[in-house]
Amino acid sequence: MVPVSKLFRSSLLIAFTAAALAVGCAKKPVKPPAPPPTPPPPPSLPTVTLQASPTSLQKGESSTLSWSSTNATELAIQPGVGAVSPEGSTKVTPDSSTTFTITAKGPGGSSDATVRVTVSQPASPPPAPAPQPTIEELFLREVRDAYFDYDKADIRPDAREALTKTADFLKNYPQVKVAIEGHCDERGSTEYNLVLGDRRATGVKQYLTSLGISADRLSTVSFGKEKPVCTESNEDCWQKNRRGHFVMAK
């Protein structure tokens, strides 16, 4: 009979041996791979603002552009300004209405901002009023001479029409006084034509007074054939010299 203590030791040895064999036969655990490093965040998109003061002006005046930005390494304003710092201001004097654009660039991309400056063109001055004709110019333009038949002092129909226009002028300008010159053509003596010229001037005066012109505004003088306006010896020329001519009295 085997003693109990010896049997116990044998059993204990067998148990330890079995346990060692079991441990030796087990697989070793595999370590999982390390996670990859977290990537850095992407660069931020640039931001930019652009303002103008004032936004409305007259041609020749200036406006101040002001801007600020973030995350930008390169900025430019167009038209006409060019590269600028990340923040600042500048004056512009556009000739016409203009939209200004600032472009901000950086590692994260680019951004734009715009502002419009409205330029009002100066109003054109009103046209200068047309110069008003002088009283002398009006006199030369509106007063009509009266023409006569050969050796006559009668007021013929065309002379009545001319004298009516002359009377209208004198009524419109009551401050004007006139001298009526009596003229003749070259035929006849000097003495005869002086008398005939006086009759013609007097006839013109009487006709004007019949139209309402005061006699104290009308004086008469005869030049006979001494002051012809035409010196040819034919009827066309003689007709031009047979006249009652008006001169503005000083």
Side-chain angles (χ1 to χ4, degrees):
M1 184 175 183
V2 181
V4 173
S5 60
K6 188 176 180 179
L7 181 60
F8 178 76
R9 286 197 297 273
S10 298
S11 300
L12 187 60
L13 179 62
I14 292 170
F16 276 126
T17 301
L21 290 173
V23 171
C25 293
K27 293 183 178 180
K28 294 182 179 180
V30 179
K31 293 178 65 176
T38 302
S44 299
L45 183 71
T47 64
V48 64
T49 62
L50 180 62
Q51 296 176 328
S53 179
T55 56
S56 297
L57 44 83
Q58 296 288 326
K59 185 175 181 179
E61 296 178 342
S62 297
S63 177
T64 299
L65 300 180
S66 303
W67 66 91
S68 61
S69 66
T70 62
N71 306 317
T73 57
E74 180 182 343
L75 293 95
I77 298 176
Q78 297 298 338
V81 179
V84 295
S85 60
E87 184 173 353
S89 63
T90 188
K91 285 190 174 183
V92 292
T93 310
D95 290 332
S96 59
S97 297
T98 303
T99 298
F100 291 92
T101 301
I102 186 169
T103 301
K105 297 180 180 180
S110 66
S111 296
D112 295 330
T114 62
V115 67
R116 185 164 180 80
V117 177
T118 302
V119 178
S120 299
Q121 300 296 325
S124 300
Q132 295 299 310
T134 65
I135 191 70
E136 290 79 6
E137 291 171 333
L138 291 171
F139 183 89
L140 293 174
R141 190 165 66 195
E142 298 185 22
V143 171
R144 302 286 188 269
D145 287 349
Y147 293 92
F148 296 88
D149 290 332
Y150 174 66
D151 200 24
K152 299 288 185 180
D154 301 329
I155 306 298
R156 63 192 194 189
D158 62 318
R160 294 192 188 101
E161 183 177 350
L163 293 177
T164 298
K165 293 182 180 298
T166 299
D168 290 340
F169 173 83
L170 294 174
K171 291 174 183 177
N172 291 331
Y173 298 91
Q175 73 274 28
V176 175
K177 295 184 178 182
V178 297
I180 306 169
E181 299 177 351
H183 294 272
C184 305
D185 64 35
E186 63 185 13
R187 294 170 292 181
S189 67
T190 299
E191 293 76 9
Y192 182 83
N193 280 311
L194 284 172
V195 175
L196 179 58
D198 182 69
R199 289 169 53 206
R200 288 172 174 169
T202 301
V204 168
K205 178 178 178 178
Q206 290 174 345
Y207 192 80
L208 288 176
T209 57
S210 72
L211 296 176
I213 306 302
S214 176
D216 61 4
R217 298 174 60 193
L218 309 170
S219 62
T220 61
V221 61
S222 175
F223 289 102
K225 62 179 181 179
E226 302 305 316
K227 289 188 175 183
V229 294
C230 182
T231 57
E232 298 176 8
S233 295
N234 55 59
E235 179 55 34
D236 287 341
C237 186
W238 293 333
Q239 174 62 94
K240 293 176 184 177
N241 291 332
R242 300 192 300 264
R243 71 196 192 282
H245 177 64
F246 292 93
V247 176
M248 186 181 294
K250 301 296 184 181

